Amino acid sequence: MLPSPEIIILMLLIFFSSAFIRSTFGFGDAVIAMPLLSLIISLKIATPLVALTATTLAAFILAESWRQADFKAAWRLILSALIGTPLGIWILRAAPETIVKSILGVVLIAYGLYNLLNSKLLNLKSDRWAYLFGFIAGVLGGAYNTNGPPVVIYGTLRHWPPEKFRATLQGFFLPAGGFIVVGHAVGGLWTAPVLKLYAFMFPMVLLGIFLGGKANRRFSAARFTRVLYWILIVLGAMLIFFSGR
C-alpha cells in the first residue's frame, strides 16, 4: 500500500534535496534522506528505496567524473564492504526499528561533530585501514543505507585531494550500492510499494543531479558543507528523540 499523497509530496522534496546534496558534494544523500524518511515511513520501505536511488546517483555522477577516480584505492573498501553488507541486512530484518533509529542518530551526530571539529590528529598512511572502514560501511549500508560516513572519514584521514575524493567515492558507492540493492532484492525488501515509489522519485532525483552539478561549480563547498554537518547533527538528535515515540 502506497503512502498518502501528502507523504509522497514530502518524499519527493526529500529525494530532490538528497540528490542535490549528493551531486554537489559527492556524498551525503543517504544520511539526509534516511532520517527524514524514517520519520514518515517504515524503514523496511525507506532502506531499499534509498538504496535504489543512491545507486542511480552514483552511476550518473561516476559516468561524468570517472577519469578522476582512483579505483585502486577503492577496491579494498569495496571488498570489505561486501563482507559487512549481509550482516547489516540481517540487522535491518531482525532489530527493532527503535534501536535502528537510535543507532543511526548516534552515527549522524558523531559524523557531523567529527567533521565540524576538523580533526587532523590522524593521518592514515597505510591502505590496510580501508578494510576496517569498508567493513563498517558495509554493515551501515546494509542496515541503514549510511555506508558513506566511514568511507568519507577514511578519505579525509588519507587526505585525498577534492577531485579524487569526490570521484573515488562514486567508485566505491556504485558497486557497494549495487551489492546492497541485490541483497535487498534477495532479502525480500523489493516490494511493489518500493518499486512504485522509486518510479515516482526518479524524476526528482534526475533534477537534483542536474542542479547539483551546476551548484558544484558555483557555490563555496567549504561553507555549504559546514552547514550540512550541522544539519546532520540536528537530524541525528531528532532521530534519537523520536525513536521511542
Side-chain angles (χ1 to χ4, degrees), residues 182-228:
V182 171
H184 288 164
V186 173
L189 296 176
W190 274 26
T191 60
V194 169
L195 297 178
K196 289 179 181 178
L197 287 171
Y198 173 71
F200 287 149
M201 302 302 125
F202 188 74
M204 296 302 286
V205 170
L206 291 182
L207 180 61
I209 293 173
F210 175 74
L211 295 180
K214 289 185 173 294
N216 179 260
R217 296 184 290 269
R218 295 185 180 184
F219 290 114
S220 168
R223 182 179 180 184
F224 198 81
T225 301
R226 189 170 181 84
V227 174
L228 173 62

Side-chain angles (χ1 to χ4, degrees), residues 70-85 127-138 147-148 150-155 158 160 168-169 171-173 175-176:
D70 186 345
F71 295 102
K72 183 178 179 181
W75 78 265
R76 291 180 176 86
L77 293 166
I78 295 169
L79 177 62
S80 52
L82 295 181
I83 298 173
T85 298
D127 288 336
R128 294 180 181 178
W129 285 100
Y131 295 112
L132 174 61
F133 283 89
F135 178 79
I136 296 173
N147 57 356
V151 178
V152 169
I153 292 173
Y154 174 74
R158 292 283 289 160
W160 288 341
T168 303
L169 286 184
F172 166 79
F173 287 138

Side-chain angles (χ1 to χ4, degrees), residues 16-17 25 27 45 48 62 68 102 134 141 178 185-186 203 215 218 224 232:
F16 167 76
S17 301
F25 304 114
F27 70 97
I45 292 180
L62 185 61
Q68 288 76 43
S102 297
V186 173
R218 295 185 180 184
F224 198 81
L232 295 181

Side-chain angles (χ1 to χ4, degrees), residues 21 27-28 31-32 35-36 39 101-118 149 224-242:
I21 290 170
F27 70 97
V31 290
I32 290 293
L36 292 175
L39 295 175
K101 290 180 180 179
S102 297
I103 294 175
L104 178 55
V106 171
V107 169
L108 291 177
I109 293 173
Y111 178 47
L113 287 174
Y114 174 87
N115 286 279
L116 285 173
L117 293 173
N118 194 25
F224 198 81
T225 301
R226 189 170 181 84
V227 174
L228 173 62
Y229 293 143
W230 278 112
I231 293 173
L232 295 181
I233 292 172
V234 172
L235 291 176
M238 289 172 56
L239 262 182
I240 294 173
F241 180 78
F242 288 109

Side-chain angles (χ1 to χ4, degrees), residues 83-106:
I83 298 173
T85 298
L87 175 59
I89 294 174
W90 176 83
I91 291 174
L92 172 65
R93 296 177 62 86
E97 287 197 12
T98 298
I99 296 176
V100 173
K101 290 180 180 179
S102 297
I103 294 175
L104 178 55
V106 171

